[in-house]
Amino acid sequence: ILGMFRMNFPTSPVPIVMWHGIGDTCCNPLSLGRIKEVIEKEINGVYVHSISIGHGFAKDAESGYFMPPNKQIEIACEQLRSDDNLKNGYHGLGFSQGGQFLRGLAQRCSDPPMKTLVTLGGQHQGVYGLPKCPGDSKKYCDYIRRLLNHAYSNWVQRILAPAGYWHDPLDEPTYKKKSKFLADINNEVFINQEYKQNLVNLEKLVLVKFNNDTTVQPKESSWFGYYKPGSLVIQRLNETSLWIEDRLGLKKMGDRLVLLDTDGDHLQFSEEWFVTNIVRPYFK
Amino acid sequence: ILGMFRMNFPTSPVPIVMWHGIGDTCCNPLSLGRIKEVIEKEINGVYVHSISIGHGFAKDAESGYFMPPNKQIEIACEQLRSDDNLKNGYHGLGFSQGGQFLRGLAQRCSDPPMKTLVTLGGQHQGVYGLPKCPGDSKKYCDYIRRLLNHAYSNWVQRILAPAGYWHDPLDEPTYKKKSKFLADINNEVFINQEYKQNLVNLEKLVLVKFNNDTTVQPKESSWFGYYKPGSLVIQRLNETSLWIEDRLGLKKMGDRLVLLDTDGDHLQFSEEWFVTNIVRPYFK
């Protein structure tokens, strides 16, 4: 009888937590603010939380660049824990670097639990190169690039967020030893069973790659593909030791790991594509 | 014969200059990067320049908040002058505070010349209130609000961009005397004929108001409407002394001044609306 009683009431929709990319902020009306409205229009009564790191827009934008991923994930975990609306779990939606940050969060912060994680143009195997330098200043770009030449120095790992997922395929030993974020969440050095379990516990892990992505280098990183160690030849997820040894549990997920692609440059998608391919199948 | 010769060649499209709002950056793929693609898809071969203040994303985002409008306009003017693609003129497209900043630019920087200016959710008569404090931190919001209590102090005018268009209707004399940006570009104290002429020289001035705007207070500011001096009663543009005395030349513009409105909250519009109502009629 209790079961029937419950069935008579519609369950409230699973909340959604978004994490923005570099150069963006939690609540920009033209970007994540718009995405939030699209989701709310499609899922009646849904609660959407957009992660903001630091106090206010300017700080949030700056943190995307200059706060190490580990620290950002720590802050995000506390932020989600203190939001009562999320206590029964939520779906994650990560944009660009927000994709691997949300995955790190899922692995390190299982309370409240993440149900399904969707990443759009994430860099799950990191990046090697900065083909489109953000901003328009040559001087600034040169500065960032110069810093990334020393990406594995402790001090650069401490001050530049992308250094946390800088992945030099020509020097894998140094990457594994020195990368304080990506090598850790990808179980490169040792297998953290907690990470593996938390990832396998996801209902679905949906990875979207943009076929004409000129920002993520290489774009295959959105699907856990990358350069073959010691070379600049691309290998796909199922050719990597991550998959073969199933160090993260991705193989174990079976068809709950979903690889989607779409034409277009980095994060370029229409509202219709987003509703049809993401919101309806995975968030509703 | 020369005329015919010329007519056989398609003229290249007028370039477009965009200016982002607070909390956004020049080249965010989800916001202005997307808008740029929409414009480029619609107008074959068009050149789009998105203004960035300061070096790189983080600085650009920060400047939106903490660099006074006058300084930002000075930098933007130099930036446009040094871009060869703009030397024969351009259309302006301003988002939120980028709207009044581009108008200020048109008035103060006629070389290269702006042809048509479109502002989306601009605050041409300023704001009085901060109903939606950006970011999620109460502490930060309280800080900004406290600063705005002293919006007309020289030091706040120097460090907080929105102080430049803070408009206290209950104390118009202080606003006129102390506002270093808005009172100046609105010809509040004396009529700068240069400003008036440059504005009248625009081919079109298109002001878009969002009917459900909960960010711009009052939303009528997007159409040069505001609180009646000394009160909190809204008056429309044609009831203001700005219009009656035609201090800015808006009346003189006749039907080249276009007031558009659309339903939705601040900057919430569909791609279809944007193409149909802005790109095709005003930029093509």
Side-chain angles (χ1 to χ4, degrees):
Chain A
I1 285 169
L2 186 63
M4 284 182 64
F5 178 77
R6 273 186 185 152
M7 282 171 69
N8 283 335
F9 286 85
T11 51
S12 58
V14 175
I16 292 176
V17 170
M18 306 194 290
W19 198 328
H20 66 79
I22 257 187
D24 205 359
T25 52
C26 66
C27 311
N28 181 342
L30 279 173
S31 67
L32 268 58
R34 180 178 58 93
I35 303 277
K36 182 170 182 276
E37 291 225 343
V38 170
I39 295 171
E40 288 168 345
K41 208 169 75 185
E42 190 60 30
I43 310 177
N44 202 14
V46 71
Y47 173 76
V48 182
H49 175 121
S50 190
I51 291 174
S52 164
I53 303 292
H55 299 316
F57 269 155
K59 201 68 203 163
D60 188 19
E62 201 185 302
S63 307
Y65 248 107
F66 298 114
M67 190 190 284
N70 293 337
K71 182 71 191 165
Q72 297 200 43
I73 289 173
E74 203 182 301
I75 292 172
C77 179
E78 280 171 36
Q79 195 175 112
L80 302 193
R81 274 191 188 160
S82 65
D83 184 340
D84 258 6
N85 294 298
L86 304 176
K87 64 173 188 284
N88 296 321
Y90 61 91
H91 296 319
L93 175 61
F95 296 84
S96 199
Q97 77 174 14
Q100 58 266 35
F101 290 4
L102 271 180
R103 177 168 64 85
L105 184 88
Q107 295 174 205
R108 291 180 185 163
C109 177
S110 60
D111 171 29
M114 197 186 293
K115 290 168 181 279
T116 282
L117 171 59
V118 176
T119 72
L120 300 167
Q123 298 105 49
H124 294 288
Q125 275 290 6
V127 295
Y128 185 55
L130 200 66
K132 268 197 173 172
C133 181
D136 64 345
S137 153
K138 203 183 154 305
K139 196 171 141 196
Y140 178 79
C141 290
D142 286 346
Y143 172 69
I144 300 266
R145 285 207 184 90
R146 241 186 358 256
L147 280 182
L148 286 171
N149 282 335
H150 309 279
Y152 299 128
S153 311
N154 286 331
W155 69 275
V156 177
Q157 292 275 317
R158 265 200 311 274
I159 63 160
L160 199 65
Y165 50 91
W166 187 255
H167 184 167
D168 183 347
L170 304 177
D171 189 1
E172 289 274 334
T174 305
Y175 155 68
K176 289 186 182 176
K177 207 160 71 188
K178 296 291 193 170
S179 161
K180 296 203 184 309
F181 169 64
L182 196 67
D184 179 72
I185 63 160
N186 281 3
N187 281 350
E188 291 281 13
V189 182
F190 63 94
I191 294 183
N192 181 326
Q193 289 293 347
E194 198 75 20
Y195 285 2
K196 202 168 161 175
Q197 194 53 53
N198 287 338
L199 211 54
V200 170
N201 283 348
L202 290 176
E203 289 173 7
K204 289 231 161 74
L205 174 59
V206 182
L207 309 177
V208 178
K209 171 168 77 83
F210 292 89
N211 292 328
N212 310 98
D213 200 318
T214 58
T215 296
V216 176
Q217 183 160 330
K219 57 177 182 283
E220 287 76 9
S221 184
S222 292
W223 277 2
F224 275 101
Y226 208 64
Y227 302 112
K228 193 176 162 179
S231 82
L232 288 173
V233 178
I234 296 291
Q235 63 179 9
R236 292 159 65 172
L237 170 57
N238 61 12
E239 302 168 299
T240 63
S241 54
L242 185 92
W243 178 265
I244 294 162
E245 301 166 13
D246 204 21
R247 301 178 71 89
L248 265 180
L250 295 173
K251 201 196 281 186
K252 196 174 172 194
M253 291 191 85
D255 59 6
R256 292 181 297 119
L257 171 67
V258 181
L259 305 182
L260 289 183
D261 64 347
T262 178
D263 289 341
D265 203 338
H266 193 54
L267 299 183
Q268 297 304 304
F269 54 85
S270 69
E271 186 178 314
E272 194 200 338
W273 177 88
F274 179 67
V275 168
T276 310
N277 293 281
I278 304 297
V279 182
R280 286 187 193 150
Y282 302 111
F283 292 160
K284 246 181 152 166
Chain B
I1 283 173
L2 187 63
M4 282 181 66
F5 178 78
R6 272 186 184 150
M7 282 172 68
N8 283 335
F9 287 84
T11 51
S12 57
V14 175
I16 292 175
V17 170
M18 307 194 289
W19 198 329
H20 65 80
I22 257 187
D24 206 358
T25 52
C26 65
C27 309
N28 182 343
L30 279 173
S31 67
L32 268 58
R34 182 178 56 93
I35 303 277
K36 182 170 182 273
E37 292 226 344
V38 169
I39 295 171
E40 287 168 345
K41 207 169 74 184
E42 190 61 29
I43 310 177
N44 202 13
V46 71
Y47 173 77
V48 181
H49 175 121
S50 189
I51 291 174
S52 163
I53 303 291
H55 298 316
F57 268 155
K59 201 67 204 165
D60 187 20
E62 198 184 305
S63 307
Y65 247 107
F66 298 113
M67 190 190 285
N70 293 337
K71 182 71 190 164
Q72 297 199 42
I73 289 172
E74 205 182 300
I75 292 173
C77 180
E78 282 170 35
Q79 194 175 112
L80 301 193
R81 275 190 187 162
S82 65
D83 185 341
D84 258 6
N85 295 298
L86 304 176
K87 63 173 189 281
N88 297 321
Y90 62 89
H91 296 318
L93 175 61
F95 296 83
S96 199
Q97 76 175 14
Q100 59 266 34
F101 290 4
L102 271 180
R103 177 166 66 84
L105 184 88
Q107 294 174 206
R108 291 180 185 165
C109 177
S110 60
D111 173 30
M114 197 186 293
K115 290 167 182 279
T116 283
L117 172 58
V118 176
T119 72
L120 300 167
Q123 297 106 50
H124 294 288
Q125 277 290 6
V127 294
Y128 186 55
L130 199 67
K132 267 197 174 174
C133 180
D136 64 345
S137 153
K138 203 184 155 304
K139 196 172 142 195
Y140 178 81
C141 290
D142 286 348
Y143 172 69
I144 300 267
R145 286 207 182 88
R146 242 187 355 258
L147 279 181
L148 286 170
N149 282 335
H150 309 279
Y152 299 128
S153 311
N154 286 331
W155 69 276
V156 177
Q157 291 276 317
R158 265 202 311 274
I159 63 160
L160 199 64
Y165 49 91
W166 188 255
H167 185 166
D168 183 348
L170 304 177
D171 189 0
E172 289 275 332
T174 305
Y175 155 67
K176 289 185 183 178
K177 208 160 70 188
K178 297 289 194 173
S179 160
K180 296 204 184 307
F181 169 64
L182 195 68
D184 178 72
I185 65 159
N186 281 3
N187 280 349
E188 291 281 13
V189 182
F190 63 96
I191 293 184
N192 181 327
Q193 289 293 348
E194 199 74 20
Y195 284 2
K196 202 169 160 173
Q197 194 52 53
N198 287 339
L199 212 54
V200 169
N201 283 348
L202 289 177
E203 290 173 7
K204 289 229 159 78
L205 175 59
V206 182
L207 310 176
V208 178
K209 171 168 78 82
F210 292 89
N211 291 329
N212 309 97
D213 200 320
T214 58
T215 297
V216 176
Q217 182 162 333
K219 58 178 183 281
E220 288 76 8
S221 184
S222 292
W223 279 0
F224 275 101
Y226 209 65
Y227 302 111
K228 191 176 166 178
S231 83
L232 289 173
V233 178
I234 296 292
Q235 62 180 9
R236 293 159 64 170
L237 170 57
N238 61 11
E239 302 168 300
T240 64
S241 54
L242 184 92
W243 178 266
I244 294 163
E245 301 165 14
D246 205 20
R247 301 178 71 89
L248 266 181
L250 295 173
K251 201 196 281 186
K252 198 174 171 195
M253 290 192 85
D255 58 8
R256 293 182 298 119
L257 172 66
V258 181
L259 304 182
L260 289 183
D261 64 348
T262 178
D263 289 340
D265 202 338
H266 192 53
L267 298 183
Q268 297 304 304
F269 54 86
S270 69
E271 187 178 315
E272 195 201 337
W273 176 88
F274 180 66
V275 168
T276 310
N277 294 282
I278 303 298
V279 182
R280 287 187 191 148
Y282 301 112
F283 292 160
K284 246 182 152 165

